[in-house]
Amino acid sequence: MQGRLTVAGVPVDPVTMKEAETRAAGLLEDGGRHLIATPNPEMAVLAARDPGFRKILEGADLALADGFGLRIAARIEGTRIPATITGAEFTLRLARLAEQKDCSVYLLGAGRGVAEEAAKNLTLNFPKLRIAGAEQGGSIRWIAGAWEEDAALVDRIAAAKPDILLAALGHGKQERWIRDHLPKLPTVKVAMGIGGTLDFLAGRVWRAPYLLRKLHLEWLWRLIIEPWRFFRIFEATFVFLWMVLKNRLKGVR
Ligand code: UDP
């Protein structure tokens, strides 16, 4: 397996889905506490503006390229990523691993009732999966460079003793929350930021049809169903590509 790459300024482990699963299984077993990140073009743009966020990504034990944009960037930069692995897809693989290894999972984030609904749907697919807890993330606030600490929330998660924590608090915020709170959650072996995955799992937001996904046009689908995302999609496509091309011209990676 090739070593870690830097693509568009963010770390990427160039792995196939199978290799990613093997790595995640190892992380669950090695006795350590780990962050899995799924850098995507929007995160690369944020990391370029926010070195603190880039550092968190660099500290991830497994960094999976989420999005075709990163594969294009790798090509432009003269490297190659074998596969893109979305947070939504890898969440399902982790759930399957958790079921096989009898690891419990805590779902944190999204709007009211979404995590609970997502948990229910996950257990329909993985009947032996143990859900340690599921709760919304609306009350988690990052204000003026600090968390508005909610000790009860951290205590609740710690008391549920999950092996895996999946945090859906939006990119940037979720990785930072994990970095800052993992030390207070001693049973968690693997934590991953999963963005909008709970919304997908709960059936609140529909993923793009298979054909659009195959054509790498998931961004177009999101633009159609969530037009208010225009600015974010613009960043993840045009701003991202411009950033990569500009850096290539300057000889920066
Ligand atoms: N969210 C949350 N708490 C917050 C901010 C966001 O629970 O303080 C949730 C939001 O409801 C949504 C998810 O985080 O379910 C972010 O989804 P999005 O698709 O925007 O993910 P991103 O692309 O930012 O990773």
Side-chain angles (χ1 to χ4, degrees), residues 38 40 42-43 66 108-112 114 135-142 147 167-175 193-200 205 222 226 229 232:
T38 58
N40 62 23
E42 224 182 328
M43 288 160 87
D66 178 353
L108 173 68
R112 190 196 295 228
V114 176
E135 65 175 293
Q136 62 170 313
S139 62
I140 298 174
R141 278 185 273 274
W142 170 260
W147 295 109
L169 304 173
H171 69 277
K173 188 173 180 183
Q174 61 201 15
E175 287 79 14
I194 58 169
T197 301
L198 293 182
D199 296 304
F200 292 134
V205 175
R222 299 222 59 185
E226 299 175 317
R229 280 182 178 259
R232 290 184 52 178

Side-chain angles (χ1 to χ4, degrees), residues 69-117:
L70 281 179
R71 285 186 88 181
I72 297 178
R75 280 293 163 93
I76 293 172
E77 292 171 353
T79 53
R80 205 183 145 272
I81 301 172
T84 53
I85 299 176
T86 65
E89 278 167 278
F90 203 62
T91 296
L92 294 177
R93 302 299 176 119
L94 262 186
R96 191 173 65 184
L97 259 182
E99 185 188 45
Q100 286 164 357
K101 294 184 174 298
D102 194 31
C103 291
S104 63
V105 177
Y106 204 103
L107 304 178
L108 173 68
R112 190 196 295 228
V114 176
E116 292 85 344
E117 193 70 30

